[in-house]
Amino acid sequence: MIAKIGRGSNLYGALAYNNVKVEQQNGKILLTNRIIETPDGRYTVSQLAKSFEPYLAANRNTDKHTLHISLNPDPKDDVSDERFIQIAEDYMREMGYGEQPYIVFKHTDISRSHIHIVSVCVDEEGKKISDQFERKKSMNICRDLEQKYGLFPAVGNMDQQKGMMFNPIDYQAGNIKSQIASVIRHLPKYYRFRTLGEYNALLSLFNISAETVEGELHGKMERGLLYFSVNTDGKRLGHSFKASLFGKSSGLPALELYCIQCKETLKNSESKMHIKAVLAGAMQSTDNENDFRNKLIGQGINTVIRRNDTGLMYGITFIDHHSKTVWNGSSLGKEFSSNFFNERWETKIRSEKEIPVVEKLTGADEVEYFSLEKQHYIFDNGQIPDQSEAGLIDALGGLFFFTNGEDQHEQDFAHHMKKRKKKRTR
């Protein structure tokens, strides 16, 4: 059995990804632990999120508080729902999360039987639960569970080991070269992209970046690629590695040839029409970046935005894990370009600044209103409606890449409150 552990900062994204499977009858909830029950046993994303509110409200320092785990037995294992429940309970207890709120989802949209578990890694006091030696601990627990429940062992099974190849780089774990190799050697086998820019957007999901370099070798100008790890802000970590260290398929000539082939195959593909329809729907139902991102996550699409030093967006790329294709926004049309989104979201922010809601509040009402608004934003803003599409492959499965942060309106509101308080003090 293979366990994949992901951490993120958007609980809604993890819950929405799994719950949409349930709503589309491609999954079901097998178990809830310390989750507020509903009369009919059915849940919305908002209802599920409420059970985590005390934990996230108490949290102060842990940014990636959301835990998303998938447990994947060998395809030859015939695991019943009751056995999956036992495996999940044992795994969470041994990992130190037995007393945490968590939900166990079973996905049935593919033939391989597997489960996803969503929880938080901070306790009721807001303290982070230790993740020291987490991956080694998880592997040992999986081996014990294989023996306990008579499952096929994952060790030595190359097909299942490939299931681990799509983990983002963990710089603190070391062995960066091997981690990079496990991603870049396989991505072109699964994903189609037409430019090196789109390839870099895909790599960014795994905390990797590729840089084109030129230099003179034996009197000739040569071009090549360097790979290096980056943090969540895209800042370089450590030194770079020549593409030649990973084989010809990871080098610049091979990738440029692959991009040409993808341009031809994707020219009139249905996947292009599909993602344009999904993007258009998300744009109609959202009016800010965070809601737009989360809406797409629930439909199996990651959004990669590039900004300059001033914070201005100059590029946007969409990665559809359903069709396994990568699309630069402008290539889909002007209405999906970074310029369009800049104007759309900036216009919304400007219009919100003109709303005189703050002037109606005075004294203690200001503090109470802002407190409630902030709490509402964290747990209920941008409720995920019924989705018509889902497709994050299990390797990614929404295990990471959640976004979080206050929207511009809240920041302006807080700033305005502080200014008014200072004036009254004077």
Side-chain angles (χ1 to χ4, degrees), residues 53 60 217 370 407 414:
E53 288 187 17
R60 292 293 182 271
L217 181 65
F370 180 62
D407 64 17

Side-chain angles (χ1 to χ4, degrees), residues 274-328:
H274 165 76
I275 194 170
K276 289 178 68 173
V278 174
L279 292 178
M283 290 165 64
Q284 289 178 358
S285 59
T286 63
D287 55 19
N288 62 73
E289 181 181 328
N290 278 343
D291 287 353
F292 180 73
R293 281 176 176 269
N294 291 338
K295 179 86 173 194
L296 292 182
I297 285 176
Q299 302 192 58
I301 298 173
N302 275 115
T303 306
V304 178
I305 293 177
R306 296 173 296 285
R307 288 186 166 88
N308 60 23
D309 294 337
T310 65
L312 181 67
M313 183 198 314
Y314 67 86
I316 186 168
T317 303
F318 304 100
I319 301 169
D320 183 0
H321 302 295
H322 180 71
S323 62
K324 300 178 181 62
T325 54
V326 186
W327 302 91
N328 187 46

